[in-house]
Amino acid sequence: MDEKKAENVIGAMVLGLADAVLRDTENQAPEKGQAAAAIALLRHEPGMPIEQMRRALGLSHSATVRLIDRLVADDLVVRRPSASDRRAVALHLTQAGDTRCDAILSSRFERIAGALQGLDPDERKTYRLLTEKLLANFVEDLDHAYSVCRLCDLSACPDCPVACSLRNKE
């Protein structure tokens, strides 16, 4: 019974927090859906090609192109020729996109910090360590890693458990 309760309570927390984070980050993005994640991913990896963005967001190629078109029209993203593949386009945030990304990541941080405020510093550290361990076992491959970390603040996680897990799986 306790095992099922743990899974149920954790499932409710994960889903409730994910819904709140997605809602808050969408409110900082120019549109609902995957715009916030696309902007955050370009902070992670300036020059990301559309195909990699598509896989990370779980969208079709045409839906990803339309999303990028709208972000370009909003002056948040620019397309540049790829330095490594002449056929590919490299996506980069503009200054306005970078500012928007700050707002997106700030709203994510505030929501998660609020959810954790009931824990004392030792409990927060323990929760972080346990979550890192779970993340390391959860992530399957590079595409899944981009999806899981699509709204992460890379600067806050210099020794990312997801990246470490991927390196260990190679």
Side-chain angles (χ1 to χ4, degrees), residues 33-169:
Q34 294 286 23
I39 291 167
L41 281 166
L42 291 177
R43 165 83 54 89
H44 275 247
E45 191 167 324
M48 179 180 279
I50 288 176
E51 176 58 22
Q52 191 171 10
M53 176 74 68
R54 180 199 72 74
R55 290 192 316 264
L57 299 178
L59 299 174
S60 68
H61 181 77
S62 59
T64 306
V65 169
R66 287 191 305 271
L67 171 61
I68 297 304
D69 286 345
R70 292 189 302 273
L71 295 175
V72 168
D74 289 338
D75 193 36
L76 300 173
V77 172
V78 294
R79 290 180 172 100
R80 296 185 185 141
S82 171
S84 61
D85 182 351
R86 291 179 24 198
R87 298 166 296 160
V89 173
L91 304 171
H92 295 269
L93 292 177
T94 63
Q95 186 173 359
D98 203 50
T99 299
R100 186 65 66 107
C101 189
D102 288 340
I104 289 166
L105 296 181
S106 178
S107 69
R108 175 185 175 269
F109 174 81
E110 289 170 13
R111 175 57 73 170
I112 295 168
L116 297 175
Q117 76 182 46
L119 302 178
D120 67 40
D122 287 339
E123 290 170 327
R124 286 175 70 111
K125 181 178 180 182
T126 300
Y127 188 73
R128 178 185 57 82
L129 292 171
L130 291 171
T131 304
E132 286 178 6
K133 189 173 185 176
L134 292 170
L135 267 175
N137 289 324
F138 176 70
V139 175
E140 300 162 3
D141 56 27
L142 183 60
D143 287 342
H144 191 221
Y146 277 115
S147 178
V148 168
C149 295
R150 69 188 181 276
L151 284 167
C152 284
D153 181 353
L154 205 56
S155 68
C157 202
D159 196 21
C160 173
V162 171
C164 290
S165 172
L166 288 176
R167 281 193 299 272
N168 290 338
K169 289 179 181 182

